[in-house]
Amino acid sequence: MIKTEKATKKFGSFTALNELSCTIPDGCIYGLVGSNGAGKSTFLRLVTGIYKPESGKITIDDKPVYENPEVKKRFVFVPDELYFLPQASMQRMARLYEHTYASFNIERFQNLTKTFGLDPKVNLNGFSKGMKRQAATILALSTMPDYIFFDETFDGLDPVMRNLVKNVIYSDVCERKATAVITSHSLRELEDTCDQLALLHKGGIIFESDIENLKTSLFKVQVAFDKEYDKELFKGIDVMNFVKKGSVANLIVRGNREKTITLLQQMNPIVLDVLPLTLEEVFIYEMDALGYAFKDMII
Amino acid sequence: MFNIDKLSGRPVYEQIIEQMQYLILVGGIVPDEQIPSVRSLSLDLSVNPNTIQKAYNELEFNKITYSVPGVGRFVAKDAKQKIGASYDKKVDVIYDASYWLALAGVEQTVITDTVSKAFTNAKRHMVERMKPNDKN
Amino acid sequence: MKKKFFDKSLMVEGLSQLKLPGFIFLIISVLGSALPAIFGWINYHSACVREGFGSLAAQEAKIVYISGVTPILLPIIYLAPFVFCLTLFSFLNKRKGSDFYHSLSATRVNIFLSFTVSTFIWIAIIVLSSVLTASFIYAISGMTFNPVFIPYLIFTFFAAAILVTACMLFAMSITGTTLTNIIMFGMILFLPRFITTLSVQNMVNSYPIISPDAGGIINVQNNIPVSFIFRNFLGYQFSNIQLYTSISAIIYTLILAIIYIAIACLLFNHRKSELAGSGAPSRVLQHIFRCIVTLPLALLIPLLITNSNYNNSSSFWRSNMPTIITIAIISIFIYFLYELLTTKSAKNMIRSAPVLIVVVAICAVFGLSLNYAKNSVLNFSPSSSEIESISVVQYDYNYSSRNINYSGLLQKDVQFNDDTTKNSVSKILSDNVSRLKSGTSLYNSGRATNYKVGIKLKNGKYAERILYADDNQSSDIQNSMKASSKYLNAITQLPPEENNVNVSYLSDQVSIKKLWDTFKSEYTTLSENDKESIYSYTYRYYNGSDNYKEISIASFTVNGNIGIDNYTQEYPITLKMPKTAAMYAEMLNAKNKSAVKALMTAYNGKGNSYSSVGITLYNDTELSEKPVPDIELANFNMYDSNNSHDNITRCFNILLSQFDDQVDLTKPYVAVYFNVNEKSYSYYQALSNDNAKAIYDLNLKRNM
């Protein structure tokens, strides 16, 4: 379990992370979304022991991460800007990883390389950006990590590759209870892959939830009555948002769908439709409720 | 076996539960038959295993499936009945719908024809399968 | 726990990453060592073929000098570590690389040490292969190669390269761009020695009574990579033998390297990954670095100002002001340029102006401290009763070298407790000090003799001083010193074992050994006085006396060491050792006879084709049985110049007429020498009295 307790990281006078706390359980695929400068990369670098926090604790299974080989050997980090040795091929990089990760599995590396259709002997400089991402991901996954950290890795992969990578991660999660932490700009990216989601803004986690819960906790109801009505009609329901145009009202409701439907039907509406919300819409309304303008946070 | 629509907005785990129940009802998977492992389903559908785990947990909670440690998960003997029980309420829906249609002037035969069509299709979709214990 | 500091796989990875530059340097070093050796071999072989196996040319071509074994390593010990560190540790300068390595399970110390070991291994491979290649070729060539060179060369070059590596690692651990890496590397390697060397030079210039190598650490020779460079660019005078065979230098260099590596390791451990790409870890350190970079030039100003004893005069200021102002302007320019180059921000450059005060302050403090140190030297002038004992360390004129001689090493252990010596020393020292205080020269009324003494006070204080004594004071000291039998022994004992013996103009080791053995056996028959005079003979120039009745026809230069102290001493061959002298003359004549005859015959006024030609007439009125009448001068020299061409031709003709006569050094004789194409030829020729007079007349004519 990755636990961050009130971690603060400053660069000079700029505070990148401000007393950030979060817990990532094992076997979870954790998505972290936020705009540029929100602190996603900083967070990952704190968790992987690259940065030392100014204050706060970062532990994996209650053991501190920083400069702790016992803990660090269990994870691998795939950064947004990839590092390759000059003029290296994938094979050369595999050797580097072999030297630096005791758990590096050369067979897996070869299998994955073949599956992804990459040539391990070619100079990586000749790879496209997406292929470089794939190469880096393959190398990282071949270290058989218990924890794998992706910094905006998926943003550069095409859908086919993304599925391949997802499946490898899923396989690891199933078999070894591996944990993955993925950051991204885009909710859409994370929606399919992750089971936990957190929103990072200005160095702090504003919102954290299970994805499935997110999707089911809020829903939209379109309702119309042939009589006059207003918001007061729906007092028994947890309405987060109420928009009325003419006789049709759109409600964003939090709660149990079945119960709400039943309640509404008892009011004899002429129109009653339940519409699912996209994850983005869920976020927007949740942020709204928290007092943030979501549009300011995500590009 | 499953057909998950990720864009529909309906939570994936709900779709899994629903489709699993459908399969059981239809007979595509029979009592005491093993259901796919989390891993294989996750890879087949490219769905987060935790999501599948969640769905499976709920199925087990509702005693529609049971698990044998070290072996896997299986359909419960009375799964069909249990699922059916949760659909009891749907009968009321039929009453409500019929009532309003009648008020609206729709002919009764339309409704009964629709009901017949539904039953025919359901029977057609039900798969005749041997129980696994009957194999020799 | 072992895993925490060093990881074998990381080391292998480091070796692999260094493969490309490593192999390039390896090839360069092997070729660069093989080729000179092969050329030397060819040279020797062709000299044998051309002029005969025993010929002078062959003899000279046969010797392998230690500085000629692996000259290619001189640039390599700076370049290779520099390139290796930049290659292997370049990840420190880029965020990508830095983040990658810091996310690995290995601790920072582990990465640092493992990669450092990889670098050392490559350096060792290069140094070893270079030395062994050259040694092997020399060994099979039949040339005279002293196998003791091998460990000395290996350790000297290896130690130097390790220190260069250490400085580079130190620099890379505190900076984050290649430019700042290089600049701080230069500062760390050279600045401390630069400051100490110039300070010492400054102090000795102002107050020559200060001993320039007080405290072994100050001596720049102990820092091998720095001394190599200083020697080449600042014209230091230490011999090759000392440079390559100083065990104290090897030990000091290695210890300093270890200290720097430990510091670098500590800094690396604390280094933030965010430092990659920026010139300094914090604004404060950026200020510090910038000031450090300005210091080498800026410190010249206080050094200049305090350099002499005479900076009260306006003429001093007038002549030096332009230089001072120029240096100041360039320093300021460098100060701002550094900021601009490393932070690429004009705003920072302007903002850094106030910190310039720090540089000025450091210069001022430095100048004042230098003055204070020098003046406190002047305060040291104990009375005879305050002195516990005196030791005399023979002093060589070349202050920067460690050319101490064997007698000097023995003298160091001799303590003089008698009042006479103490009085003499106290008096001379106070005289010197008062001269310095009043600005009078230490060298007046003729020559002064120098004595380097160690003065131990009764209160435990110890200081070394160089005393400048006039002739009276000098003879007082000499007499009181000779009263000690231990001192007498120190100045008359011959070294028991010598690393090598050289004699002017001879190069054949077998002959030299024979000559030296003869000398040693004759030496034992001499009286104590005679032995003393041999000792004093070497210092006749320093003692300022030309009145030596004995002529040395050649001298032995003996190098050796007692423990880690190297010594060099000259022993003159005079007519007090007639057998040795005669043997030498014979050896020389045998070697050069035909060459000299040919040169004399061909001379005929063609002086320009030779670098120098000379004739020295020896006619010792005391020793010769039949002195030539009317010759008032005992000896004279004739040198080749435009005016003397004809005279010398006539001299040669006279000499050629008597060429084959056997020379007798007890009778008047002539020494002829040629220096042609950097080869020297000497020859001792017998003279009849008539011929001696004729030559003397020719010389007189020349002088008119």
Side-chain angles (χ1 to χ4, degrees):
Chain A
M1 179 177 70
I2 304 173
K3 200 149 113 178
T4 308
E5 292 172 80
K6 290 212 176 141
T8 303
K9 178 69 190 154
K10 292 197 178 138
F11 297 102
S13 53
F14 171 67
T15 305
L17 290 183
N18 193 359
E19 294 207 340
L20 188 142
S21 300
C22 81
T23 306
I24 302 174
D26 283 353
C28 160
I29 301 182
Y30 192 86
L32 196 57
V33 75
S35 61
N36 287 337
K40 306 192 295 291
S41 297
T42 309
F43 173 71
L44 282 189
R45 284 170 169 79
L46 271 179
V47 175
T48 49
I50 295 174
Y51 292 164
K52 191 174 172 191
E54 258 72 38
S55 63
K57 276 200 322 189
I58 303 184
T59 56
I60 293 185
D61 288 349
D62 290 319
K63 301 197 184 87
V65 173
Y66 190 74
E67 290 280 272
N68 189 344
E70 197 192 327
V71 169
K72 290 175 88 174
K73 72 178 183 204
R74 296 175 65 195
F75 62 64
V76 71
F77 176 51
V78 184
D80 44 349
E81 277 181 45
L82 303 169
Y83 173 71
F84 297 118
L85 291 174
Q87 308 304 319
S89 63
M90 279 181 76
Q91 224 164 27
R92 174 64 182 96
M93 288 305 293
R95 240 198 9 252
L96 171 61
Y97 274 73
E98 262 181 316
H99 287 139
T100 48
Y101 287 92
S103 51
F104 189 78
N105 185 330
I106 191 76
E107 276 123 24
R108 182 176 227 203
F109 170 74
Q110 285 158 347
N111 287 339
L112 286 174
T113 309
K114 218 176 356 175
T115 312
F116 277 71
L118 296 171
D119 186 348
K121 297 202 169 78
V122 169
N123 190 328
L124 279 157
N125 282 338
F127 279 20
S128 70
K129 209 165 107 173
M131 285 158 78
K132 284 185 188 166
R133 286 265 165 98
Q134 290 165 31
T137 309
I138 291 173
L139 286 162
L141 289 169
S142 306
T143 65
M144 314 301 283
D146 292 337
Y147 301 88
I148 179 158
F149 299 95
F150 288 104
D151 198 0
E152 304 197 3
T153 309
F154 281 61
D155 295 2
L157 295 179
D158 66 59
V160 175
M161 293 306 155
R162 210 180 302 142
N163 263 343
L164 277 171
V165 175
K166 268 202 305 187
N167 277 2
V168 180
I169 298 177
Y170 291 157
S171 173
D172 280 2
V173 168
C174 291
E175 284 186 44
R176 295 182 295 126
K177 225 165 181 226
T179 311
V181 178
I182 308 175
T183 65
S184 180
H185 285 136
S186 152
L187 267 180
R188 264 266 75 225
E189 289 282 344
L190 302 180
E191 197 175 338
D192 294 336
T193 322
C194 303
D195 48 73
Q196 298 267 36
L197 216 50
L199 175 65
L200 197 59
H201 181 63
K202 290 214 176 112
I205 289 189
I206 301 180
F207 186 73
E208 185 183 14
S209 174
D210 183 289
I211 278 194
E212 302 296 331
N213 282 349
L214 272 180
K215 285 188 184 168
T216 51
S217 65
L218 288 191
F219 54 93
K220 189 193 279 193
V221 178
Q222 201 171 57
V223 71
F225 296 91
D226 54 2
K227 54 183 190 230
E228 273 300 304
Y229 66 98
D230 63 8
K231 202 172 165 186
E232 286 299 303
L233 182 60
F234 308 103
K235 249 190 307 199
I237 303 171
D238 185 357
V239 177
M240 289 188 65
N241 193 297
F242 178 84
V243 173
K244 184 165 178 282
K245 274 210 180 101
S247 58
V248 180
N250 275 327
L251 292 88
I252 306 296
V253 177
R254 188 207 299 279
N256 183 288
R257 201 177 296 175
E258 306 292 322
K259 291 208 180 86
T260 312
I261 304 287
T262 316
L263 248 157
L264 286 172
Q265 276 176 334
Q266 286 168 353
M267 297 179 200
N268 297 326
I270 47 176
V271 172
L272 178 61
D273 282 318
V274 178
L275 304 162
L277 290 170
T278 65
L279 199 56
E280 248 180 35
E281 290 172 306
V282 171
F283 261 80
I284 291 175
Y285 292 119
E286 291 282 10
M287 293 304 97
D288 199 40
L290 284 171
Y292 292 90
F294 188 60
K295 285 193 181 62
D296 296 335
M297 299 173 202
I298 302 247
I299 0 161
Chain B
M1 216 199 274
F2 293 88
N3 192 2
I4 305 294
D5 182 1
K6 294 180 189 161
L7 298 172
S8 72
R10 280 201 67 207
V12 171
Y13 92 102
E14 272 188 12
Q15 294 182 43
I16 293 177
I17 293 177
E18 194 175 274
Q19 290 192 26
M20 182 67 79
Q21 290 177 337
Y22 179 78
L23 270 175
I24 295 174
L25 288 177
V26 146
I29 181 165
V30 296
D32 292 324
E33 188 173 333
Q34 189 169 16
I35 59 178
S37 69
V38 171
R39 182 173 187 274
S40 61
L41 204 57
S42 150
L43 293 176
D44 282 341
L45 301 175
S46 203
V47 166
N48 192 317
N50 292 323
T51 308
I52 296 170
Q53 188 70 53
K54 197 168 171 183
Y56 277 19
N57 285 347
E58 186 156 320
L59 286 169
E60 190 156 318
F61 181 74
N62 292 329
K63 301 235 178 0
I64 295 175
T65 61
Y66 65 93
S67 61
V68 176
V71 185
R73 291 176 208 260
F74 301 82
V75 177
K77 283 198 173 42
D78 53 352
K80 222 168 168 177
Q81 288 85 311
K82 287 231 170 57
I83 296 170
S86 67
Y87 281 103
D88 271 349
K89 296 196 207 68
K90 296 246 172 175
V91 178
D92 295 334
V93 177
I94 298 175
Y95 175 80
D96 280 340
S98 309
Y99 177 77
W100 284 97
L101 286 168
L103 285 180
V106 176
E107 289 293 323
Q108 185 171 346
T109 44
V110 172
I111 297 169
T112 45
D113 279 346
T114 311
V115 172
S116 300
K117 217 197 293 184
F119 268 78
T120 314
N121 279 339
K123 258 208 194 82
R124 197 152 34 97
H125 290 160
M126 265 195 279
V127 176
E128 270 307 315
R129 294 254 325 258
M130 303 260 286
K131 291 197 184 160
N133 304 359
D134 293 347
K135 290 193 195 132
N136 45 336
Chain C
M1 269 306 108
K2 204 161 47 150
K3 266 271 178 174
K4 229 186 161 200
F5 295 111
F6 177 76
D7 185 14
K8 204 176 97 171
S9 321
L10 265 179
M11 183 199 76
V12 170
E13 175 61 32
L15 288 175
S16 177
Q17 285 191 27
L18 287 176
K19 258 194 326 210
L20 184 61
F23 277 120
I24 291 178
F25 275 110
L26 183 61
I27 293 173
I28 293 176
S29 87
V30 167
L31 281 180
S33 310
L35 288 175
I38 293 176
F39 284 143
W41 190 0
I42 293 177
N43 194 26
Y44 168 59
H45 186 72
S46 59
C48 286
V49 162
R50 219 180 36 232
E51 296 183 37
F53 188 74
S55 69
L56 169 69
Q59 291 301 318
E60 285 178 351
K62 195 176 180 196
I63 302 178
V64 181
Y65 295 99
I66 194 170
S67 59
V69 179
T70 53
I72 190 72
L73 281 183
L74 273 173
I76 284 185
I77 54 167
Y78 300 96
L79 288 175
F82 178 73
V83 170
F84 287 167
C85 289
L86 278 180
T87 305
L88 196 53
F89 288 89
S90 63
F91 67 85
L92 290 173
N93 291 344
K94 283 232 164 69
R95 283 301 278 275
K96 302 198 271 191
S98 188
D99 288 350
F100 174 77
Y101 279 97
H102 288 140
S103 72
L104 298 176
S105 64
T107 59
R108 285 158 148 80
V109 170
N110 196 329
I111 298 173
F112 177 83
L113 288 178
S114 308
F115 275 0
T116 303
V117 169
S118 314
T119 312
F120 284 175
I121 291 179
W122 267 110
I123 290 175
I125 292 175
I126 290 171
V127 169
L128 272 172
S129 60
S130 170
V131 175
L132 293 178
T133 305
S135 307
F136 175 72
I137 295 179
Y138 283 127
I140 60 174
S141 70
M143 293 166 75
T144 314
F145 178 76
N146 189 345
V148 84
F149 288 171
I150 297 180
Y152 272 126
L153 284 171
I154 292 176
F155 280 107
T156 302
F157 281 120
F158 185 69
I162 296 298
L163 181 55
V164 174
T165 311
C167 293
M168 192 61 186
L169 290 176
F170 190 159
M172 289 185 89
S173 65
I174 50 177
T175 55
T177 64
T178 312
L179 178 65
T180 46
N181 288 159
I182 296 174
I183 294 177
M184 290 317 290
F185 161 66
M187 292 294 121
I188 292 170
L189 184 57
F190 292 114
L191 190 59
R193 282 289 166 184
F194 180 79
I195 295 177
T196 54
T197 309
L198 286 182
S199 305
V200 167
Q201 210 169 355
N202 175 302
M203 288 181 77
V204 170
N205 274 347
S206 306
Y207 299 151
I209 63 172
I210 298 174
S211 157
D213 53 12
I217 298 185
I218 302 279
N219 193 324
V220 72
Q221 274 173 279
N222 279 325
N223 183 324
I224 297 177
V226 172
S227 68
F228 277 4
I229 301 253
F230 278 17
R231 169 181 130 100
N232 283 321
F233 291 111
L234 299 184
Y236 274 46
Q237 318 274 328
F238 13 101
S239 75
N240 285 332
I241 286 282
Q242 293 169 297
L243 215 47
Y244 293 99
T245 60
S246 169
I247 296 185
S248 65
I250 292 173
I251 294 176
Y252 173 82
T253 305
L254 281 175
I255 291 181
L256 187 62
I258 292 174
I259 293 176
Y260 279 169
I261 289 178
I263 295 177
C265 189
L266 218 78
L267 293 171
F268 188 89
N269 197 26
H270 280 118
R271 184 196 172 91
K272 290 193 184 170
S273 195
E274 308 91 272
L275 177 52
S278 68
S282 65
R283 196 70 201 133
V284 169
L285 279 169
Q286 172 73 2
H287 289 312
I288 294 178
F289 291 169
R290 196 176 56 245
C291 292
I292 290 178
V293 170
T294 317
L295 281 181
L297 205 51
L299 285 176
L300 290 181
I301 296 178
L303 279 169
L304 251 180
I305 295 177
T306 61
N307 194 30
S308 81
N309 217 358
Y310 311 107
N311 51 11
N312 304 322
S313 64
S314 55
S315 63
F316 169 86
W317 285 105
R318 240 184 296 133
S319 57
N320 283 321
M321 218 19 149
T323 320
I324 293 178
I325 294 185
T326 315
I327 294 179
I329 293 178
I330 300 180
S331 306
I332 295 177
F333 177 71
I334 290 179
Y335 180 85
F336 286 114
L337 186 65
Y338 177 84
E339 187 65 19
L340 190 62
L341 283 179
T342 56
T343 58
K344 299 197 172 59
S345 153
K347 196 170 76 159
N348 276 341
M349 191 176 81
I350 297 172
R351 281 232 199 106
S352 66
V355 185
L356 198 49
I357 293 285
V358 173
V359 178
V360 175
I362 293 178
C363 290
V365 168
F366 178 72
L368 289 172
S369 319
L370 207 53
N371 256 349
Y372 178 76
K374 289 192 288 192
N375 287 333
S376 59
V377 164
L378 293 183
N379 291 336
F380 182 80
S381 180
S383 65
S384 176
S385 51
E386 288 174 310
I387 300 177
E388 160 96 23
S389 64
I390 308 280
S391 60
V392 178
V393 182
Q394 194 61 24
Y395 171 55
D396 188 283
Y397 214 67
N398 202 337
Y399 87 90
S400 60
S401 73
R402 303 200 93 218
N403 265 340
I404 199 162
N405 59 29
Y406 181 71
S407 315
L409 280 184
L410 294 178
Q411 280 171 41
K412 274 207 281 201
D413 296 329
V414 180
Q415 299 285 337
F416 298 94
N417 302 325
D418 59 290
D419 287 333
T420 336
T421 316
K422 289 198 236 180
N423 280 340
S424 302
V425 167
S426 170
K427 228 173 43 176
I428 301 175
L429 181 59
S430 79
D431 166 70
N432 285 172
V433 165
S434 62
R435 279 173 189 269
L436 286 175
K437 280 188 181 159
S438 66
T440 337
S441 165
L442 286 173
Y443 311 83
N444 75 335
S445 56
R447 315 287 174 74
T449 322
N450 301 329
Y451 293 90
K452 183 167 161 193
V453 297
I455 304 174
K456 189 153 111 177
L457 297 185
K458 288 192 175 134
N459 62 16
K461 224 177 140 192
Y462 175 82
E464 285 185 359
R465 289 288 179 272
I466 299 172
L467 303 177
Y468 293 77
D470 63 30
D471 291 340
N472 289 333
Q473 294 165 325
S474 177
S475 59
D476 283 345
I477 281 208
Q478 291 277 14
N479 290 336
S480 62
M481 292 201 299
K482 285 180 195 169
S484 154
S485 61
K486 239 183 138 188
Y487 175 75
L488 276 178
N489 181 55
I491 63 175
T492 57
Q493 188 178 321
L494 287 182
E497 283 163 42
E498 320 80 31
N499 282 1
N500 58 66
V501 182
N502 288 316
V503 184
S504 3
Y505 303 121
L506 279 186
S507 49
D508 168 27
Q509 288 293 317
V510 174
S511 318
I512 293 178
K513 179 120 197 352
K514 193 163 155 208
L515 202 62
W516 177 249
D517 288 338
T518 315
F519 177 88
K520 278 198 283 194
S521 60
E522 280 197 293
Y523 187 84
T524 53
T525 64
L526 292 178
S527 69
E528 288 302 309
N529 270 338
D530 286 340
K531 285 186 186 167
E532 265 173 55
S533 67
I534 288 187
Y535 168 74
S536 323
Y537 182 91
T538 319
Y539 299 96
R540 63 193 165 101
Y541 293 113
Y542 314 141
N543 296 349
S545 169
D546 276 335
N547 293 338
Y548 274 85
K549 305 295 175 69
E550 290 147 56
I551 311 139
S552 83
I553 62 172
S555 39
F556 291 98
T557 310
V558 180
N559 292 311
N561 62 284
I562 302 180
I564 62 171
D565 289 314
N566 294 339
Y567 63 77
T568 301
Q569 185 147 1
E570 281 188 20
Y571 294 97
I573 303 175
T574 68
L575 289 176
K576 284 222 157 49
M577 290 144 283
K579 271 208 305 208
T580 315
M583 187 186 284
Y584 176 76
E586 272 170 40
M587 286 179 174
L588 206 61
N589 282 1
K591 197 167 83 143
N592 293 334
K593 187 165 180 166
S594 45
V596 169
K597 185 168 187 180
L599 285 168
M600 285 207 290
T601 318
Y603 180 78
N604 233 339
K606 286 187 290 202
N608 293 338
S609 51
Y610 306 130
S611 311
S612 59
V613 174
I615 303 172
T616 307
L617 172 66
Y618 292 97
N619 178 20
D620 196 315
T621 48
E622 282 209 352
L623 295 180
S624 120
E625 292 172 20
K626 289 184 191 160
V628 176
D630 299 333
I631 295 182
E632 287 167 70
L633 287 177
N635 315 301
F636 66 81
N637 299 323
M638 215 192 285
Y639 303 111
D640 171 68
S641 67
N642 281 334
N643 292 336
S644 60
H645 283 339
D646 290 334
N647 283 336
I648 290 194
T649 310
R650 286 195 205 110
C651 266
F652 282 165
N653 290 335
I654 296 173
L655 292 174
L656 280 169
S657 68
Q658 217 186 328
F659 190 76
D660 291 313
D661 290 358
Q662 180 74 8
V663 66
D664 180 353
L665 294 177
T666 59
K667 302 202 175 87
Y669 65 94
V670 151
V672 180
Y673 63 91
F674 288 85
N675 196 326
V676 182
N677 297 333
E678 294 178 17
K679 291 209 170 81
S680 310
Y681 305 96
S682 304
Y683 186 75
Y684 293 96
Q685 168 139 9
L687 269 189
S688 65
N689 288 349
D690 291 332
N691 282 342
K693 186 158 198 318
I695 289 183
Y696 175 73
D697 285 340
L698 279 173
N699 184 51
L700 269 185
K701 260 200 230 156
R702 180 196 70 162
N703 288 340
M704 280 193 233

